[in-house]
Amino acid sequence: KCLIVDDDEDDLYLITDALHEVEGTRYHVSTAHSALAAMNDLASTSYDVIFSDYRLGPVTGIDFIKSVRAAGIDTPIILLTGVADSVIDDQALKAGSSDFVPKIAINPDVLDRSVRYAMAHAERQRLLHTVLRSTISGVAVLDKDGNATLWNPRFIEFAQDAFGEDPARLPRLVELARSSTEKDVRLGARIVEVHISPLPDAGCVLALHDVTERVNDLKEREQAEQTIRKIAMEDVLTGLPNRMAFN
C-alpha cells in the first residue's frame, strides 16, 4: 500500500503505471497532489511506503519529509528527483528519506527494488531506535562531519547535565567527548567513560557510559587507604610517628 505525492498528473500516471507493472507484487496506490493533501491523508491512513516528488509547488519534497517525521510518522519515504543531485540526496537522507530515485530512471524494476530497500532500511532504523531507547548508556550516531544524526534520551540527559538547557547542548557534548584527551569526562556531577566506534561510511558511534559510582568508589577506597596508612604510621595521641610501625 503506497502513497504518491506529486503535483504533476503525467508523473502520477507514470509512477502508478510502473508500480502496477511490477511482477509478483500487487501495489495498492493512492495519490495526493500536494504536501498538505498528503499530510491530511496521513493523519488518518497508514501506508507501507510513500513516494514524494522533490518539487511540490511552494514547498519541496525535503520540506514534506521533515513535516512527516515531525508528525511522528516513520513510514519509509522515497524521494523522486528530476535529475541526480548529490546535494539534494544528502539533504533528503538527513531529513529522513529512506531512498531517492531520479525520475528519468523510473521503471517497474527500479521502483520495486527501491521499495524493498526503503522498507528494509526503515525496519533497521526501527530496530536501532528500540536498542537506543533500551540502553542505559548515552549513544549518538555521528556522520562523517561529526554531526549527530541519531541519539537516545540518555544522551540528551547527559547533555543537559553538562550544559543545561543550552539549545546547542547536543553538539557541545559531542565536541567535548570527541576532543577530550581523557577517557573519563566530567559532566556536572556525573562522570562518563567515552567510547568511539568508527562506521564504514566514515561516521562513528559515540557511546557515553556512566561510571560515576565506580569512580567515586575508587576515590573512597583510596581515601580510606590513606586514612588507615596515616593511623598506622602516627600515634593518635601525640601525632608523632608510631613506634610500632618501625618494629
Side-chain angles (χ1 to χ4, degrees), residues 165-176:
E165 296 302 320
D166 185 343
R169 58 187 178 276
L170 290 183
R172 289 184 67 186
L173 177 56
V174 169
E175 177 61 26
L176 174 64

Side-chain angles (χ1 to χ4, degrees), residues 8 11 24 29 40 61-62 112 118 121 126 148 162 165 168 171 198 216 236 247:
D8 188 306
D11 287 342
V29 179
N40 289 334
I62 293 174
D112 188 50
H121 174 76
R126 280 191 282 267
E165 296 302 320
N216 288 341
V236 294
N247 293 334

Side-chain angles (χ1 to χ4, degrees), residues 9-82:
E9 286 286 355
D10 291 337
D11 287 342
L12 282 174
Y13 176 81
L14 174 67
I15 301 164
T16 301
D17 191 53
L19 289 171
H20 285 160
E21 290 182 6
V22 173
E23 295 183 1
T25 303
R26 185 178 180 183
Y27 286 98
H28 298 275
V29 179
S30 297
T31 61
H33 291 80
S34 69
L36 179 59
M39 292 301 297
N40 289 334
D41 191 1
L42 290 168
S44 58
T45 307
S46 297
Y47 292 93
D48 297 306
V49 66
I50 301 169
F51 288 94
S52 173
D53 187 20
Y54 176 71
R55 300 189 182 282
L56 295 172
V59 301
T60 68
I62 293 174
D63 295 326
F64 170 64
I65 293 170
K66 290 179 179 178
S67 297
V68 172
R69 298 297 180 237
I73 300 170
D74 62 0
T75 304
I77 303 175
I78 300 170
L79 184 68
L80 303 173
T81 59

Side-chain angles (χ1 to χ4, degrees), residues 54 61-63 65-66 69 76-81 85-101 114 117-118 121-122 124-125 129 143-144 147-150 201:
Y54 176 71
I62 293 174
D63 295 326
I65 293 170
K66 290 179 179 178
R69 298 297 180 237
I77 303 175
I78 300 170
L79 184 68
L80 303 173
T81 59
D85 187 321
S86 60
V87 174
I88 293 177
D89 293 347
D90 287 343
Q91 291 176 345
L93 290 176
K94 289 179 179 179
S97 173
S98 300
D99 198 11
F100 36 83
V101 176
S114 182
Y117 170 81
H121 174 76
R124 287 195 299 271
Q125 289 295 100
H129 277 286
D143 63 18
K144 59 183 177 61
N147 301 311
T149 59
L150 193 65
D201 62 357

